[in-house]
Amino acid sequence: MKINNKHYQTIWVKKENPKIIQAIDQRLLPFEFKIVDLKTVDDVYFAIQNMVVRGAPLIGVTAAFGIYLALLNSDNSKSNDKYILEVAKMLGSARPTAVNLNYAVARQMNALKKAHSWNEKVRVALETAKRILREEKEYCRQIGLHGLTLIEKICEKKSHQTVNILTHCNAGWLACIDYGTAMAPIYFAFDKGIKVHVWVDETRPRNQGARLTTWELGHHGVPFTLITDNTGGHLMQQGLVDLVIVGSDRTSIKGNVANKIGTYLKALSAKDNKIPFYVALPASSIDWELQNNCDQIQIEQRDAEEVMFVEGFRENKIEKVRICPENTNIANFGFDVTPARLITGLITDRGICKAEREDILKLFPEYN
Ligand code: MRU
């Protein structure tokens, strides 16, 4: 994606020094655009846990680079299997809900089985991380192309009037490597000249919608309106939403979707108002081992501070203010699970399918 006419991905290997991984610091957006250097596996762990980088596909790719950095900074004795296993476990635990983290770490572990010397391990880890990055980017491009067909159909049906799309959290290019998942079809539609307008949920407590989705859409020139998290239902009742598209952190093979907290409520309102509710996700966000119910998905609970304080920009600096009495009891669930029955369809990198086992496996027969 372009920021002030320069093309960026969310993460890359530093050109002049491949021992450094660089990423956009998402904690500071939209107020400050800053690139951070990740030099060690501890830097990577910190970046994932503290949401310097966030979004399911991006944290997966970052973890893959984490294993590379761990090997690079280890000596021969430390590049043994036990050490790498510990690193993999540590990275995998940085954030529990998005399956992409485990997916990318498992890919690295598998690839490393074939490498023996330290040199070989470092080379394989870097190549694997770069491969996952390229794949994730392509997955999103494909999601964009498949999702575009949905928007085109609605546009036809509305006689080319503006298509109003509601999205939750940030499932744009910032959450991925490029393009985004939920946002990719919107960018493709906009680029094709289709009139689109996006309702952006602010997405408390970290405000990924207000801070990141608005920033992304603004840079691309896509018209949008920021709304509070409670507004979507009203808009749907008023006929002001044609389509909902959200992302996914972990989708079970039965089509249940864990995504940012609040997604479930949007799905309920969409169902009640007969509005199509789609989830856009790459293959790497499907948990092929999760056969059963939604309650098997571990929901991340984050620090109470995120709810107690709101961050904003005042007199040229980022400031935090408390919004409730001190010592308030706080619950901060990061995600919820939307049952498959509320989902109209999944927009995957291989096409669109129903949120059900048989249909998912038709697109991904190798997991049957
Ligand atoms: O807590 P975050 O910001 O990492 O949560 C991100 C989301 O919930 C996204 O919707 C999800 O990762 C899908 S993004 C491609």
Side-chain angles (χ1 to χ4, degrees), residues 26 48 51 53-59 95 98 100 140 143 167-176 180-183 203 206 208 212 246-250 258-261 263 279-282 285 300 302 306 334-335:
Q26 301 196 22
I48 295 173
M51 295 171 69
V53 292
R54 29 86 28 219
L58 176 56
I59 58 178
R95 294 194 71 193
N100 302 62
C140 286
I143 288 170
T167 192
H168 191 65
C169 193
N170 172 265
W173 70 271
L174 285 169
C176 307
T181 53
M183 303 287 280
T203 321
R206 291 201 54 130
Q208 289 94 326
L212 305 176
V246 297
S248 164
D249 284 82
R250 189 182 294 247
N259 191 50
K260 181 53 56 197
I261 191 83
T263 303
V279 179
L281 69 152
S285 295
E300 178 181 13
R302 294 188 60 85
E306 292 184 349
F335 300 89

Side-chain angles (χ1 to χ4, degrees), residues 24-41:
I24 298 171
D25 188 342
Q26 301 196 22
R27 292 169 307 172
L28 306 177
L29 290 172
F31 312 120
E32 199 182 319
F33 184 80
K34 191 178 156 199
I35 309 292
V36 284
D37 286 350
L38 306 174
K39 295 179 181 164
T40 65
V41 66

